[in-house]
Amino acid sequence: MKVALSWLKEFIDLGERSPESIAMDLESIGHEVEAIDVGGLDRVVVGKIVAVDPHPNADRLRVVTVDTGDLVRTIVCGAPNVAVGQLVPVALPGAQLPNGLEIVPRAIRGVESQGMICAEDELGLGDNHEGILVLPETAAIGQPFHPTGIEAVLDIAVTPNRGDALSYHGLARDLAARWRRPITRIFPTVTGHAPKPDVQIEAQDLCDRYTARFISNIQIRDLPDVFARRLEATGHGHYHPVVDLTNYVMEELGVPLHAFDAEKVQLPIIVRRAIDGESIRLLDGKTYPLDHTMLVIADQTGPIALAGIMGGFKTAVSKSTRQIILESAHFLPTSIRKTRMKLKLTTDASYRFERHTDPNMCIPASDRVAQLVKDHLGGQPGELTDKPAATTPEKQIIPFDSTAISRRIGQTIPPEEVTDILQRLGFIMAQKTVTVPSWRPDITVWEDLSEEVARIAGYEQIPRQRLPKGNSTSNEDDRRFRAVEWLKDQLVQAGWTEHIGTSFLSPSELAALNMLETSVIRLANPVTEEAAYLRSTLKVSLLKAAAKNPVFPEISLFEIGTIFQTAAKGVIEEVTAIGLLWTGKKTHPEIIGDKIDQTDVVAAGDLRHFKIRRPLRYVELTIEKLLSEVNLPEQLTFVVNPTLAQPLRMPSRFQPAMRDVAFVGPDAVDLVAIGQTLAGFPSIVDVELFDVYRGKGIPPGQQSAAFHLLLEHPDRTLTTDEIQGTMDRVTEYLMNEKLQIR
Amino acid sequence: MSGHLHPLTWTIRDCVRIFTAMDFSVVAGPELETVAYNFDRLNFPPDHPARDMQDTLWVNPGELMRTHTSNVQIRAMERFTPPVRMVVPGRVYRNENPDATHAIDFFQLEGFVVDRHISLAHLLGTLEDFAKQFFGKDTLVRFRPSYFPFTEPSLEMAVYFNQRWLELLGAGMIHPNVIREMGLDPAAWSGFAFGFGIDRFMAVRYGLADIRLSYSGDYRFLKQFPGSAKDNQ
């Protein structure tokens, strides 16, 4: 919901509060502010001209010194009307003007210019290019430049339970409770004369209130500017002055209204379910099939509107409309939601009805539209039809216990304060119950009252409490979790690295591994075909990981994750499995040892599909099985180590190269220092000492050392020449250190 | 030579360690779940926009991939009697387009407490303590009211990190309808629940801009994470 603050001011006094402070208050009472648009153009600020000097290399140009609050800048300007003391709009480097021009610092005829002083046309405000735009004295230096008429708009994400906050009135009401101020808006009634339209409600379970009135002798003309500006600021287009006014009042009061061209309606209006087989052409020009689950507004000829969602094409207002029937009704959320989902048609109206509107606002909203039409389009409002009748809807009464509310919040709040907060929110207080206002159907239990009190008092002021010491009990899940983590530690100590992949398989992966589609579970509504199947093995995930790392000579990866298999009779079994994938000489993983019989050589076809060019072995078993074969210690602990030795390095998107370098040198050689130096060579991003050896074949007092060097470039793959070039420098360096390269 | 543990594992372990010290224990539940445990019994009204808040991946009309680890709340209380303090780390699924900060399947940690006389003040204190232990003792946190069908009052917690406020966690007092679904009398028992995306906490801790890297298997990434001890838990 977009809220223009100048409009909100008509409902509640905002005082001197800044947009940021109002946003903070809204957030602290439960309405998230996603963005604050203070209008103005990005990086265009108000500057004051401090000096004007001739340009040394150009007669028609001036060198202007401008104070923009953050800096005093030099700007080259060709306008004839620059003068010292003027307040002017300055586009700073980085600004993008409406005409497409991007501002960069540049030299103009030999003098550096750090921005641009703007004319009206450059700011998209008019056609004037005669000179720069001079601002009134009240403009503040350094502040964003605000063309007149644009002002702050807050973009509020209202939660689905607060349909009442989808209007200026509703938000003002909530702020009023927090600020202890009254709503300043009044709701004058508008009475009119007969005739009134004849209405019958046949589906009272879907629509429990329908009001309608004629408004006659309408003159179609332009509305004053303020309507267009406000509608635009809050995300509406403008269409037809009558429609614009209904949108305007919907934003103000939260009731979606609809105007029919009275001449095109064959009364009476019947609010009924559609009949299977009926259809309706709506305002969007499309024709929709209807069925008996959908609520329509109909006349003698058939459906004329899809109730609460969109009006019909045939009865729409147009330039020639002189008389309207104005509908202001209360439609129940469930059928509106089901219908709009079925027809895939979401509108501002359906959005509000789905979240509950206030039946007691139907008449004030109708009166407001009627007044506006009278004031601006000359129309004459008629008498209101209110069906089913002036019945008072059932009131929601819930238990009230101030002590229980305080206890739930965990703060001793005096009962008078609890009562006062609820009263300011519109609750009617009795000794042991409260009556819930008609605009809060989300309040159904006394616990809802504790949220109302806590949010208006402010969550921030609740003193924090700690949980007392508890009985730390274990359970089989907890032991299982710790056992798995202990197991991971054993694997890692033995040289294995943990991979975590996605739960999904793609059709090509299924095919590559010769898995039948019937053996895996397919999602009914996958995000993409690539993630349509639930994995029944960890193998694909690990093979994909292996394929990512062709330059590493040895890999030993494991993954522990859920696999989904179809057992007998369509029963789906979910099981935690462990998969291990490795290269190198091991014939089976140590942790599994000789307790598990099989070791799988990965099939050549599988390797080919994943573009892996070396042999791999793979084993998979259930975690249950593995845990049952391993000697778990009494005390299950796992390592906790949150910190990294150095900041995370993002690997290049492009394939790296791996080269090894080995040498023999004196024992005393500082291998760590050599490693650090190697890491500084061009393109070398990682250095790993993987072998140090003394003994057979190495002279006494000497050692043999070998490093893996990982080379990569952030923007591309390295060329063979580049790699060779770096390796040549590595060789040269090692030789200079008197080390013998092997 | 030591191998390496996945940063998600390091993150989960640290969270579990912090909550274990507050006398929580780990519980688990299925990823392929019924709509009853995932939504209905958690007080999500049928035919209500609240269900749109979590876009669902369906397997068939009654079964879905769990959208949150909150599915284990009711299941756990069918097995255990209060008082309880439980955490549920696990994989969850959303029908969302994947990008640098969103994945179709990812990890969440749910926590909940059911006991006598639990209050919103306990929840705020517990979450603040957790945030300070995870991010550092001078960490600033901020709470604002929010909405979840299964909690009342509800809140979102933001943490100040790297000069920005990051909204990282949702929580609230367990709704009385959910307490009833647990087979308990809301007049006698109360509790709180919270949940957060582990991937997000991992990304903030390690400075990871694109979470897809953590699922890629790229060894250049994985090898930067430790395999061995500083502390034991």
Side-chain angles (χ1 to χ4, degrees):
Chain A
M1 162 109 193
K2 287 194 200 279
V3 176
L5 292 183
S6 67
W7 195 354
L8 186 64
K9 259 201 284 248
E10 291 184 5
F11 290 83
I12 185 168
D13 181 8
L14 301 176
E16 291 307 308
R17 290 183 178 80
S18 66
E20 288 74 18
S21 139
I22 295 169
M24 271 182 62
D25 280 346
L26 281 166
E27 290 224 335
S28 96
I29 59 177
H31 304 298
E32 185 186 359
V33 178
E34 287 185 325
I36 305 176
D37 182 359
V38 290
L41 298 154
D42 204 25
R43 300 199 50 79
V44 177
V45 299
V46 176
K48 182 163 186 162
I49 298 186
V50 172
V52 178
D53 295 301
H55 190 296
N57 306 320
D59 291 339
R60 288 184 307 104
L61 299 178
R62 310 269 207 294
V63 175
V64 182
T65 310
V66 186
D67 178 3
T68 52
D70 55 339
L71 284 178
V72 176
R73 299 168 188 268
T74 308
I75 297 180
V76 176
C77 182
N81 63 333
V82 274
V84 175
Q86 284 172 335
L87 292 166
V88 291
V90 180
L92 302 176
Q96 248 198 335
L97 297 182
N99 65 0
L101 184 62
E102 200 176 307
I103 307 298
V104 291
R106 58 194 193 102
I108 301 178
R109 304 288 283 276
V111 176
E112 182 77 11
S113 185
Q114 300 158 333
M116 185 172 97
I117 303 174
C118 302
E120 203 180 72
D121 64 339
E122 284 153 349
L123 296 167
L125 296 174
D127 301 318
N128 193 322
H129 194 71
E130 300 276 302
I132 50 155
L133 179 63
V134 181
L135 302 176
E137 275 169 28
T138 48
I141 300 173
Q143 288 304 302
F145 165 64
H146 287 209
T148 48
I150 315 250
E151 33 71 65
V153 176
L154 306 184
D155 197 350
I156 301 174
V158 175
T159 50
N161 59 325
R162 296 296 308 272
D164 68 296
L166 288 170
S167 69
Y168 281 78
H169 178 216
L171 286 167
R173 199 166 36 198
D174 247 23
L175 282 169
R178 165 57 77 85
W179 290 342
R180 295 171 190 269
R181 294 197 142 161
I183 302 274
T184 51
R185 174 68 85 111
I186 53 172
F187 301 96
T189 49
V190 170
T191 47
H193 299 296
K196 56 183 189 176
D198 188 11
V199 174
Q200 291 157 32
I201 304 184
E202 281 175 15
Q204 209 159 319
D205 56 331
L206 304 183
C207 168
D208 60 4
R209 189 174 201 180
Y210 195 95
T211 77
R213 75 196 321 155
F214 290 110
I215 304 183
S216 315
N217 294 333
I218 295 173
Q219 294 147 43
I220 303 299
R221 51 185 187 231
D222 286 340
L223 294 169
D225 264 350
V226 62
F227 289 97
R229 272 207 320 269
R230 285 183 175 176
L231 285 170
E232 214 174 279
T234 53
H236 290 274
H238 36 276
Y239 309 98
H240 181 288
V242 170
V243 174
D244 293 345
L245 289 175
T246 59
N247 281 337
Y248 189 83
V249 173
M250 175 179 72
E251 292 287 339
E252 282 200 321
L253 304 181
V255 178
L257 308 109
H258 184 65
F260 297 97
D261 185 328
E263 233 173 276
K264 310 209 174 112
V265 176
Q266 303 222 18
L267 291 165
I269 283 177
I270 308 189
V271 183
R272 62 169 173 83
R273 287 182 144 80
I275 300 166
D276 287 341
E278 277 186 315
S279 66
I280 182 172
R281 188 170 181 215
L282 294 179
L283 286 174
D284 61 0
K286 302 198 211 144
T287 302
Y288 293 84
L290 301 169
D291 67 46
H292 64 278
T293 64
M294 303 177 182
L295 185 68
V296 293
I297 312 301
D299 71 356
Q300 293 308 297
T301 65
I304 57 172
L306 189 60
I309 303 178
M310 195 184 278
F313 191 85
K314 210 177 46 160
T315 52
V317 296
S318 70
K319 279 200 295 276
S320 55
T321 300
R322 292 289 166 265
Q323 187 191 44
I324 63 169
I325 298 174
L326 180 68
E327 159 197 294
S328 181
H330 182 250
F331 302 115
L332 275 76
T334 308
S335 78
I336 301 293
R337 176 175 168 82
K338 285 192 168 129
T339 302
R340 70 101 179 144
M341 284 177 77
K342 211 182 226 175
L343 298 178
K344 300 199 207 311
L345 188 57
T346 306
T347 61
D348 284 327
S350 75
Y351 191 85
R352 283 176 172 77
F353 282 121
E354 233 184 283
R355 287 159 172 73
H356 288 272
T357 60
D358 181 5
N360 288 346
M361 284 307 285
C362 288
I363 295 182
S366 179
D367 285 350
R368 173 76 173 143
V369 173
Q371 185 67 47
L372 290 173
V373 173
K374 182 170 174 211
D375 290 344
H376 301 293
L377 304 176
Q380 282 152 11
E383 190 186 334
L384 200 65
T385 302
D386 185 9
K387 287 284 170 86
T391 46
T392 35
E394 230 177 81
K395 295 210 195 270
Q396 169 90 306
I397 296 179
I398 60 178
F400 166 66
D401 177 351
S402 176
T403 317
I405 290 173
S406 283
R407 225 179 312 125
R408 190 171 180 82
I409 297 172
Q411 183 181 25
T412 322
I413 308 174
E416 317 81 68
E417 204 183 312
V418 172
T419 301
D420 186 50
I421 289 174
L422 292 172
Q423 269 170 341
R424 293 188 334 245
L425 286 166
F427 291 83
I428 312 288
M429 313 301 295
Q431 189 66 351
K432 292 211 166 92
T433 60
V434 306
T435 305
V436 178
S438 59
W439 58 87
R440 294 301 303 273
D442 60 305
I443 307 280
T444 55
V445 291
W446 74 262
E447 287 88 347
D448 293 327
L449 299 175
S450 71
E451 181 171 270
E452 296 303 291
V453 171
R455 74 184 181 92
I456 296 298
Y459 281 12
E460 289 303 317
Q461 53 83 42
I462 301 173
R464 320 283 194 241
Q465 279 181 51
R466 266 62 195 174
L467 291 171
K469 187 94 191 71
N471 320 329
S472 61
T473 47
S474 189
N475 67 74
E476 62 181 279
D477 292 357
D478 187 85
R479 279 192 293 277
R480 167 73 124 63
F481 173 83
R482 289 168 202 280
V484 170
E485 295 304 311
W486 173 87
L487 186 68
K488 288 189 199 177
D489 281 343
Q490 311 316 304
L491 283 165
V492 162
Q493 273 168 49
W496 295 84
T497 289
E498 184 184 15
H499 165 61
I500 297 182
T502 174
S503 274
F504 298 110
L505 295 177
S506 71
S508 66
E509 283 157 1
L510 272 189
L513 266 64
N514 288 323
M515 286 191 273
L516 292 173
E517 214 194 317
T518 48
S519 71
V520 284
I521 295 144
R522 196 194 151 87
L523 295 176
N525 62 331
V527 175
T528 151
E529 248 330 273
E530 290 309 293
Y533 299 94
L534 291 173
R535 63 183 175 182
S536 55
T537 170
L538 298 171
K539 194 175 191 181
V540 169
S541 176
L542 283 160
L543 284 173
K544 276 157 71 171
K548 263 283 185 180
N549 303 298
V551 306
F552 290 92
E554 282 200 26
I555 42 172
S556 313
L557 296 172
F558 75 93
E559 180 169 5
I560 296 174
T562 312
I563 56 175
F564 304 85
Q565 293 168 328
T566 44
K569 297 214 168 103
V571 169
I572 301 169
E573 258 174 25
E574 188 179 314
V575 139
T576 310
I578 175 169
L580 299 106
L581 182 72
W582 69 100
T583 60
K585 306 176 193 82
K586 293 195 274 271
T587 54
H588 51 250
E590 301 86 343
I591 189 74
I592 292 177
D594 50 9
K595 299 188 179 71
I596 312 291
D597 310 310
Q598 315 169 301
T599 59
D600 245 289
V601 174
V602 177
D606 295 351
L607 293 176
R608 232 185 346 261
H609 178 87
F610 292 97
K611 303 205 180 63
I612 297 169
R613 291 207 183 91
R614 51 178 161 176
L616 294 175
R617 287 176 183 271
Y618 180 74
V619 150
E620 179 173 306
L621 55 158
T622 68
I623 270 291
E624 290 307 331
K625 179 129 174 56
L626 183 53
L627 287 176
S628 71
E629 304 276 355
V630 163
N631 289 325
L632 290 174
E634 270 298 307
Q635 277 283 81
L636 288 165
T637 59
F638 53 82
V639 172
V640 177
N641 183 1
T643 53
L644 290 182
Q646 40 209 22
L648 188 65
R649 181 187 79 79
M650 286 300 126
S652 166
R653 272 176 17 250
F654 297 87
Q655 269 299 326
M658 177 87 76
R659 292 288 182 276
D660 289 350
V661 68
F663 54 82
V664 175
D667 262 347
V669 152
D670 184 351
L671 293 174
V672 171
I674 292 183
Q676 282 169 357
T677 308
L678 289 174
F681 279 76
S683 304
I684 295 185
V685 292
D686 193 48
V687 173
E688 189 181 307
L689 175 65
F690 70 92
D691 190 42
V692 179
Y693 176 71
R694 294 180 186 80
K696 194 163 170 199
I698 308 293
Q702 302 229 312
Q703 61 180 331
S704 153
F707 287 89
H708 288 319
L709 304 173
L710 188 70
L711 298 91
E712 75 178 31
H713 190 286
D715 305 320
R716 53 185 172 73
T717 33
L718 292 165
T719 63
T720 338
D721 283 347
E722 283 172 305
I723 297 170
Q724 192 54 50
T726 297
M727 292 314 294
D728 288 343
R729 290 181 55 175
V730 167
T731 310
E732 196 186 317
Y733 158 69
L734 292 172
M735 280 168 57
N736 284 343
E737 296 293 306
K738 310 279 193 289
L739 299 166
Q740 199 184 337
I741 313 235
R742 307 181 65 173
Chain B
M1 280 201 55
S2 170
H4 310 271
L5 272 179
H6 198 281
L8 279 170
T9 294
W10 287 122
T11 309
I12 293 171
R13 286 185 177 191
D14 205 29
C15 293
V16 168
R17 171 188 69 85
I18 294 169
F19 285 110
T20 301
M22 299 191 217
D23 303 312
F24 283 71
S25 44
V26 174
V27 221
E31 295 175 25
L32 207 170
E33 186 52 286
T34 66
V35 69
Y37 281 115
N38 196 83
F39 285 130
D40 303 335
R41 298 185 67 185
L42 289 175
N43 201 42
F44 277 76
D47 304 312
H48 190 275
R51 295 210 184 194
D52 297 343
M53 283 161 71
Q54 301 186 3
D55 294 319
T56 309
L57 285 168
W58 293 93
V59 174
N60 59 57
E63 290 180 302
L64 44 77
M65 301 311 294
R66 67 175 173 193
T67 58
H68 45 194
T69 38
S70 323
N71 69 315
V72 181
Q73 275 187 39
I74 304 288
R75 285 182 176 273
M77 297 315 288
E78 285 172 344
R79 295 160 59 196
F80 304 106
T81 52
V84 295
R85 298 184 189 178
M86 308 194 128
V87 282
V88 192
R91 199 186 288 245
V92 299
Y93 300 77
R94 297 282 173 104
N95 188 346
E96 266 180 21
N97 275 321
D99 60 32
T101 51
H102 298 94
I104 303 174
D105 56 330
F106 56 99
F107 287 82
Q108 262 195 4
L109 189 120
E110 171 86 4
F112 59 96
V113 168
V114 180
D115 205 335
R116 313 249 183 218
H117 308 308
I118 296 295
S119 71
L120 184 60
H122 285 129
L123 176 57
L124 299 179
T126 302
L127 292 177
E128 188 171 51
D129 274 355
F130 166 62
K132 291 189 168 181
Q133 289 190 60
F134 190 90
F135 291 107
K137 63 176 174 47
D138 297 321
T139 301
L140 293 174
V141 302
R142 200 170 69 183
F143 298 104
R144 64 168 181 85
S146 186
Y147 167 71
F148 304 103
F150 41 105
T151 50
E152 186 76 24
S154 308
L155 62 89
E156 303 261 4
M157 180 179 86
V159 169
Y160 196 68
F161 198 86
N162 276 353
Q163 295 160 353
R164 291 193 309 145
W165 281 103
L166 299 170
E167 211 148 72
L168 291 179
L169 177 159
M173 297 291 294
I174 300 179
H175 196 285
N177 289 351
V178 178
I179 299 278
R180 262 182 223 107
E181 282 291 341
M182 292 174 172
L184 303 170
D185 178 5
W189 299 98
S190 52
F192 64 69
F194 57 85
F196 57 88
I198 296 169
D199 301 64
R200 194 104 201 275
F201 273 63
M202 169 193 70
V204 171
R205 166 164 280 173
Y206 296 116
L208 179 59
D210 190 334
I211 59 167
R212 290 174 290 195
L213 187 55
S214 91
Y215 294 104
S216 69
D218 194 325
Y219 193 65
R220 295 172 294 172
F221 171 78
L222 294 173
K223 75 193 293 278
Q224 297 184 59
F225 295 94
S228 59
K230 277 270 165 68
D231 329 295
N232 258 309
Q233 180 62 33

